[in-house]
């Protein structure tokens, strides 16, 4: 085997084999198809996932977790939303193992199928008034299935784009699947907002909320068709070819998780820390802000539209910052955004409390569309550049999903609990954001920027 390569941004490369497999030819058409497939699939997965988050903020507390105390119902609904984040690392491990052993493409088809089925079933689940305690149990189990699927989806979606990218455009390519979260959020909010306006409150609570869950099957079928058109990634094809040329070394690939935790544990820990600021602020803007604005007296449709507008504006901004990272480096873009959100956390809540829809929209656009897009755009590429191809799916999934489980999923629950504990004061929530930013800034400080360097060395 060859000598060990120099360490990447967040870890050390394992030894390669004597014989290097031939270079895989990638056409521009292949790249475009992979980029489109990663974006569309990611959009569908996040639409399904965030639709639950939106409904947990405005509907599920009343229908599935009824209580004499509205705050308790809201907390229980948000807790069911947060529970899925606990299983996402498990989904990441399971599907990343398949992705590193069998291939990125096959894994992404499986995760999309599971997500689609669980989402449709959520739309068909009877409420507490119909079947009692079985209602929240079934809802929570289906939510856990969503978490399992998304745990394997994100890493594969990012790798589908990044492993097809040219070195000088890797930041831009890596930002494209990240926009899937924004499109998915926007679709979910658009559907919820439109149905809220179309139906009366009684009709919406009775059956209107179910429609976007059931209709997601159409999007899933479209996504499956597109992903089946995409070839396996060049990086995985190289790994597979190397395994065929060196069958004695193929045993090293049997347990990607073991290799990741023994050889790349520092990279995993740093990735988890880097994830803190991105995941905490995303769910601050995308989920908690909706319930917070409604609590301040804003109409539900207006609160949904504020986040919808910000999510759509964030798409081109994120692509810009991804391309910018190809010129000035991932680390600079990430660090600048992290410092900015730490400074903005307290003013953000102050602006929301001014009672103006225009000011609230501007506040969310500045925080979500601009500041969050800086570090959100480069996170996927940053992670992908941190691990070698034979364990890359496992490495990026572990870092991303564990970080999300620790602070992302619980974020709306933590924020709601802090507001209740401190008599509606938003200062503790802002302090929590600042702490998450500090953790990520420290983590990224230990990395080496690999912008422009070969992805597979």
């Amino acid at each position: 085997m060859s000598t060990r390569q120099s360490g990447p941004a967040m870890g050390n490369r394992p030894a390669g084999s004597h014989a290097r497999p031939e270079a895989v030819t990638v056409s521009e058409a292949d790249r475009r198809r992979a980029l489109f497939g990663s974006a569309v699939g990611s959009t569908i997965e996040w639409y399904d996932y965030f639709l639950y988050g939106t409904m947990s903020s405005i509907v599920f507390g009343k229908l599935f977790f009824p209580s004499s105390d509205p705050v308790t119902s809201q907390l229980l609904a948000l807790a069911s939303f947060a529970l899925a984040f606990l299983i996402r690392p498990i989904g990441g491990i399971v599907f990343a193992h398949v992705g590193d052993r069998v291939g990125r493409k096959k894994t992404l088809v499986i995760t999309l199928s599971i997500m689609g089925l669980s989402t449709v079933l959520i739309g068909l689940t009877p409420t507490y008034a119909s079947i009692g305690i079985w209602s929240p149990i079934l809802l929570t189990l289906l939510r856990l299935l969503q978490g399992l699927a998304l745990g394997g989806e994100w890493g594969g979606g990012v790798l589908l784009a990044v492993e097809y990218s040219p070195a000088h455009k890797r930041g831009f390519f890596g930002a494209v699947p990240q926009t899937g979260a924004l499109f998915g959020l926007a679709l979910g909010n658009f559907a919820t907002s439109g149905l809220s306006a179309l139906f009366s409150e009684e009709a919406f609570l009775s059956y209107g909320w179910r429609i976007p869950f059931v209709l997601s099957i159409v999007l899933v079928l479209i996504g499956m068709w597109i992903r089946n058109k995409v070839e396996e990634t060049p990086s995985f094809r190289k790994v597979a070819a190397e395994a065929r040329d060196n069958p004695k070394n193929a045993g090293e690939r049997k347990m990607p998780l073991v290799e990741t935790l023994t050889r790349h544990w520092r990279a995993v820990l740093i990735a988890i820390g880097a994830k803190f600021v991105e995941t905490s602020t995303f769910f601050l803007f995308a989920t908690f802000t909706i319930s917070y604005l409604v609590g301040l007296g804003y109409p539900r449709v207006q609160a949904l539209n504020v986040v919808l507008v910000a999510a759509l504006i964030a798409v081109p901004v994120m692509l810009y910052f991804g391309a910018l990272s190809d010129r000035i480096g991932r680390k600079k873009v990430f660090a600048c955004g992290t410092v900015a959100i730490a400074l903005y956390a307290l003013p953000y809540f102050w602006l929301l409390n001014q009672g103006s829809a225009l000011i609230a929209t501007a506040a969310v656009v500045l925080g979500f569309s601009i500041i969050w897009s800086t570090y959100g755009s480069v996170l996927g590429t940053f992670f992908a550049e941190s691990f070698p191809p034979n364990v890359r799916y496992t490495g990026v999934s572990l870092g991303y999903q564990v970080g999300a489980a620790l602070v992302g999923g619980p974020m709306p629950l933590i924020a709601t609990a802090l507001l209740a504990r401190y008599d509606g004061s938003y200062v503790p929530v802002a302090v929590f954001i600042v702490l998450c930013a500090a953790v990520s800034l420290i983590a990224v400080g230990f990395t080496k920027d690999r912008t422009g360097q070969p992805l597979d060395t």
Side-chain angles (χ1 to χ4, degrees):
M1 298 178 73
S2 65
T3 57
R4 188 176 297 274
Q5 303 289 335
S6 60
M10 300 183 189
N12 292 322
R13 301 265 178 183
S17 62
H18 282 305
R20 289 185 178 275
E22 294 182 5
V24 177
T25 302
V26 179
S27 68
E28 287 303 315
D30 291 335
R31 287 197 170 102
R32 287 194 298 270
R33 193 177 297 114
L35 202 58
F36 185 61
S38 70
V40 171
S42 178
T43 296
I44 296 167
E45 293 265 11
W46 284 111
Y47 164 79
D48 290 349
Y49 198 75
F50 289 140
L51 190 59
Y52 188 103
T54 301
M55 293 300 183
S56 68
S57 296
I58 60 178
V59 170
F60 287 166
K62 301 174 184 177
L63 299 182
F64 293 91
F65 304 93
S67 170
S68 57
D69 180 14
V71 175
T72 300
S73 295
Q74 183 71 11
L75 287 173
L76 288 172
L78 291 173
S80 71
F81 174 75
L83 274 176
F85 285 80
L86 298 180
I87 203 170
R88 273 172 58 172
I90 299 174
I93 291 170
V94 171
F95 291 114
H97 177 86
V98 178
D100 279 330
R101 292 268 297 154
V102 179
R104 316 328 190 191
K105 175 182 173 178
K106 294 182 178 67
T107 308
L108 289 172
V109 171
I110 295 171
T111 57
L112 188 58
S113 302
I114 295 174
M115 177 66 82
L117 177 62
S118 58
T119 301
V120 171
L121 290 177
I122 286 173
L124 300 176
T125 302
T127 63
Y128 191 93
S130 300
I131 60 173
I133 191 64
W134 285 106
S135 176
I137 291 174
L138 288 173
L139 184 71
T140 302
L141 287 175
L142 291 171
R143 175 60 178 171
L144 292 178
L145 272 180
Q146 282 191 322
L148 190 73
L150 192 62
E153 161 66 26
W154 183 85
V158 167
L159 296 190
L160 189 62
V162 171
E163 291 185 344
Y164 262 103
S165 67
H168 66 287
K169 291 184 178 180
R170 196 180 301 142
F172 175 79
F173 270 61
V176 170
Q178 289 290 80
T179 64
L182 299 171
F183 279 121
L185 174 65
L187 278 175
N189 279 11
F190 179 77
T192 307
S193 175
L195 291 169
S196 294
L198 183 63
F199 294 106
S200 65
E201 181 72 11
E202 181 181 356
F204 183 79
L205 290 175
S206 176
Y207 61 88
W209 68 269
R210 298 180 183 274
I211 295 174
F213 285 96
V214 176
L215 287 181
S216 71
I217 189 64
V218 177
L219 297 176
V220 170
L221 292 175
I222 294 172
M224 295 279 285
W225 178 76
I226 292 172
R227 282 192 166 172
N228 275 315
K229 297 290 184 180
V230 179
E231 295 294 332
E232 189 53 78
T233 70
S235 294
F236 182 81
R237 280 184 271 171
K238 290 177 184 177
V239 170
E242 188 175 71
R244 288 194 301 270
D245 294 341
N246 300 272
K248 292 183 179 179
N249 299 328
E252 295 181 3
R253 297 180 56 239
K254 289 184 177 179
M255 292 299 293
L257 177 63
V258 174
E259 182 174 348
T260 302
L261 294 179
T262 54
R263 297 188 182 185
H264 308 282
W265 59 271
R266 290 182 182 85
V268 172
L269 288 178
I270 292 172
I272 292 171
K275 176 66 177 169
F276 269 41
V277 68
E278 185 271 342
T279 191
S280 63
T281 54
F282 185 91
F283 287 101
L284 167 72
F285 296 126
T287 302
F288 176 72
T289 291
I290 296 171
S291 60
Y292 186 73
L293 288 174
V294 171
L296 291 176
Y298 288 81
R300 182 173 62 212
V301 173
Q302 192 174 66
L304 288 166
N305 286 340
V306 166
V307 177
L308 170 62
V309 169
L312 292 175
I313 294 174
V315 172
V317 176
M318 177 171 277
L319 295 177
Y320 167 77
F321 281 121
L324 181 65
S325 76
D326 286 321
R327 299 196 297 272
I328 68 173
R330 263 46 106 190
K331 194 169 180 178
K332 289 180 181 177
V333 173
F334 189 100
C336 287
T338 303
V339 172
I341 198 62
L343 296 175
Y344 184 62
L346 197 58
Y348 173 70
F349 285 101
W350 180 83
L351 290 169
L352 294 185
N353 278 268
Q354 297 309 298
S356 166
L358 182 61
I359 293 176
T361 302
V364 179
V365 167
L366 177 57
F368 195 9
S369 308
I370 299 176
I371 299 178
W372 178 85
S373 292
T374 56
Y375 44 78
S377 65
V378 300
L379 196 71
T381 309
F382 218 162
F383 285 10
E385 291 175 332
S386 308
F387 298 92
N390 61 316
V391 296
R392 185 172 291 142
Y393 205 140
T394 301
V396 300
S397 295
L398 271 178
Y400 186 94
Q401 303 302 347
V402 172
L406 290 175
V407 297
M411 173 59 204
L413 180 63
I414 291 170
T416 302
L418 287 173
L419 285 176
R421 172 67 177 81
Y422 292 97
D423 299 321
S425 173
Y426 54 76
V427 174
V429 183
V431 170
F432 178 75
I433 294 298
V434 172
L435 291 175
C436 289
V439 170
S440 294
L441 200 60
I442 292 170
V444 171
F446 285 97
T447 66
K448 179 182 178 182
D449 200 325
R450 297 187 64 243
T451 301
Q453 297 180 20
L455 182 62
D456 303 325
T457 55

